[in-house]
């Protein structure tokens, strides 16, 4: 019996390890498959959006907190890291860490303020925070340059390895490897969290907060923790965005960005972690593939989102499980 239990427990771990190896191989091959700068640029945007989506999914899908302020934490990470570099002369990675920490602290502060709110009340509070953050970025011209923007933001500094050529991040392929590698590492970290007792605790809060509290779970503390992690991931994405684009303007962090990130999570499959990865990739690449049909692409894009929400509320993950069930006879709800 013990041997069979060990085999059952080691099976999923082995499959997850294989999945990470496949993901790393795909990341390594993508710049080779797409050598032109246009698609390499889109690959970097995909990696950034993946970070935004999985960070939000940790809060929304696992902790059940309807956060519509992800664009604010995205902007905080971008502006804090950039201002520390350009105004105070901090090294890139130190500024990057500070921007990530600032976004995480802002998320924790918002969660503490709105700890008693649930559902659409929390959504309105987080949306209000996003609006306030956008207005600060837009109107505090002495600090952020407002609508004039901040220009000339340098990419991450080159990494010099003994005996090897320096890794130059002005090369889009190298910048993609850096961003996608960080996204993969972030996914691994969040995967470890959701499969640990922490994930079970967050799921208990999502399913029934009152019952969770009756079992001795400090719901407020765990909500703050979830918001902090999800916001910090968005802040890290913002740090990469600033160094990639080279220009910061407040409109990049308008509240519509929050709705786009929510759409990525829902289309991919909320509460699955892997689903939002594919949702982010799909909703980043699809508009580019439809660009050739002009304004009609907006209708196709909107219709696609509507059909997914109406007929496949579990997103791409639900579609995959249904297809797998048809092919193998396994239960559609089995992971």
């Amino acid at each position: 019996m013990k041997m069979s239990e060990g085999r059952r427990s080691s099976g999923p771990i082995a499959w997850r390890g294989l999945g990470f190896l496949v993901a790393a191989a795909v990341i390594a091959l993508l710049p080779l498959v797409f050598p032109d700068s246009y698609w390499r640029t889109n690959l970097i945007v995909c990696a950034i959006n993946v970070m935004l989506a999985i960070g939000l999914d940790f809060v929304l899908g696992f902790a059940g907190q309807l956060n519509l302020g992800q664009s604010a934490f995205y902007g905080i990470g971008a502006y804090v890291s950039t201002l520390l570099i350009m105004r105070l002369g901090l090294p890139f990675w130190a500024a990057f860490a500070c921007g990530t920490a600032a976004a995480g602290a802002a998320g924790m502060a918002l969660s503490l303020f709105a700890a008693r709110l649930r559902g659409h009340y929390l959504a309105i509070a987080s949306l209000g925070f996003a609006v306030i953050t956008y207005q600060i970025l837009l109107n505090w011209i002495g600090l952020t340059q407002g609508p004039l923007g901040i220009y000339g933001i340098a990419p991450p500094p080159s990494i010099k390895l003994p005996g090897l050529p320096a890794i130059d991040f002005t090369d889009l392929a190298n910048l993609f490897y850096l961003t996608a590698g960080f996204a993969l590492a972030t996914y691994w970290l969040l995967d470890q969290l959701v499969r640990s007792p922490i994930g079970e605790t967050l799921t208990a809060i999502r399913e029934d907060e009152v019952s969770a509290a009756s079992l001795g779970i400090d719901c407020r503390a765990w909500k703050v923790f979830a918001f902090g992690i999800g916001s910090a991931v968005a802040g890290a994405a913002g740090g990469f965005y600033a160094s990639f684009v080279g220009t910061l303007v407040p409109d990049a962090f308008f509240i519509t960005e929050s709705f786009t990130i929510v759409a990525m999570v829902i289309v991919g499959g909320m509460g699955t972690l892997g689903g939002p990865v594919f949702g982010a990739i799909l909703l980043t690449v699809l508009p580019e593939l439809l660009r050739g049909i002009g304004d009609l692409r907006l209708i196709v894009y909107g219709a696609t989102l509507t059909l997914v929400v109406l007929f496949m509320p579990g997103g791409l993950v639900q579609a995959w499980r249904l297809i797998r069930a048809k092919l193998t006879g396994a239960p559609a709800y089995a992971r």
Side-chain angles (χ1 to χ4, degrees), residues 49-68 70 206 257-284 301 305 308-309 312-318:
N49 284 341
V50 163
M51 293 177 62
L52 291 169
I54 61 177
L56 178 61
D57 190 46
F58 187 74
V59 179
L60 176 59
F62 290 94
Q65 305 301 299
L66 186 51
N67 172 24
L68 294 181
Q70 196 76 335
R206 179 193 68 193
E257 185 68 19
S258 288
F259 294 109
T260 302
I261 300 168
V262 171
M264 292 173 182
V265 173
I266 294 175
V267 168
M270 187 170 58
T272 61
L273 202 59
V277 172
F278 295 102
I281 294 171
L282 176 65
L283 296 191
T284 303
Y301 184 77
L305 294 181
V308 168
V309 171
M312 201 66 65
L316 297 176
V317 169
Q318 182 184 357

Side-chain angles (χ1 to χ4, degrees), residues 29-333:
L29 291 174
L30 279 174
L32 304 178
V33 176
F34 300 100
D36 57 298
S37 60
Y38 174 78
W39 280 109
R40 285 183 175 181
T41 296
N42 281 289
L43 289 176
I44 297 171
V45 175
C46 280
I48 292 172
N49 284 341
V50 163
M51 293 177 62
L52 291 169
I54 61 177
L56 178 61
D57 190 46
F58 187 74
V59 179
L60 176 59
F62 290 94
Q65 305 301 299
L66 186 51
N67 172 24
L68 294 181
Q70 196 76 335
S71 62
F73 308 122
Y74 185 30
I76 289 171
Y79 271 90
V80 168
S81 60
T82 298
L83 291 172
L84 288 175
I85 293 170
M86 302 191 75
R87 296 287 182 91
L88 300 182
L90 258 65
F92 173 83
W93 291 111
F96 176 86
C98 289
T100 302
M108 295 173 71
L110 173 62
S111 183
L112 280 171
F113 176 75
R116 295 173 181 258
L117 301 179
R118 303 176 190 172
H120 57 281
Y121 296 106
L122 177 59
I124 293 172
S126 59
L127 186 61
F129 178 78
V131 172
I132 292 170
T133 302
Y134 172 75
Q135 290 298 324
I136 291 174
L137 297 179
L138 185 65
N139 294 296
W140 195 350
I141 296 176
L143 181 65
T144 68
Q145 302 298 319
L148 300 176
I150 301 175
Y151 296 89
I153 304 170
S158 301
I159 296 177
K160 297 180 180 179
L161 300 175
L164 295 173
I167 302 174
D168 183 9
F169 293 112
T170 58
D171 184 333
L172 290 177
N174 290 336
L175 186 57
F176 167 72
Y177 287 139
L178 175 67
T179 309
F182 196 92
L184 183 62
T186 302
Y187 182 96
W188 178 85
L189 175 62
L190 295 182
D191 182 68
Q192 297 302 305
L193 288 176
V194 301
R195 294 180 184 278
S196 71
I198 292 175
E200 296 175 358
T201 300
L202 294 176
T203 302
I205 295 172
R206 179 193 68 193
E207 296 299 327
D208 191 333
E209 190 172 329
V210 175
S211 297
S214 70
L215 294 174
I217 295 175
D218 188 342
C219 296
R220 182 179 185 183
W222 284 109
K223 284 190 209 174
V224 171
F225 170 80
F227 255 91
I229 295 294
S231 303
V233 173
F240 282 123
Y241 172 83
S243 63
F244 160 57
V245 175
T247 302
L248 279 184
V249 290
D251 285 350
F253 311 104
F254 191 55
I255 55 175
T256 52
E257 185 68 19
S258 288
F259 294 109
T260 302
I261 300 168
V262 171
M264 292 173 182
V265 173
I266 294 175
V267 168
M270 187 170 58
T272 61
L273 202 59
V277 172
F278 295 102
I281 294 171
L282 176 65
L283 296 191
T284 303
V285 173
L286 184 60
E288 300 302 322
L289 295 177
L290 297 176
R291 192 171 293 276
I293 61 176
D295 291 341
L296 185 60
R297 76 183 189 277
L298 301 176
I299 298 175
V300 176
Y301 184 77
T304 301
L305 294 181
T306 303
L307 290 174
V308 168
V309 171
L310 288 177
F311 299 106
M312 201 66 65
L316 297 176
V317 169
Q318 182 184 357
W320 159 246
R321 289 174 180 171
L322 289 173
I323 293 171
R324 184 180 62 180
K326 291 285 187 180
L327 295 176
T328 65
Y333 56 81

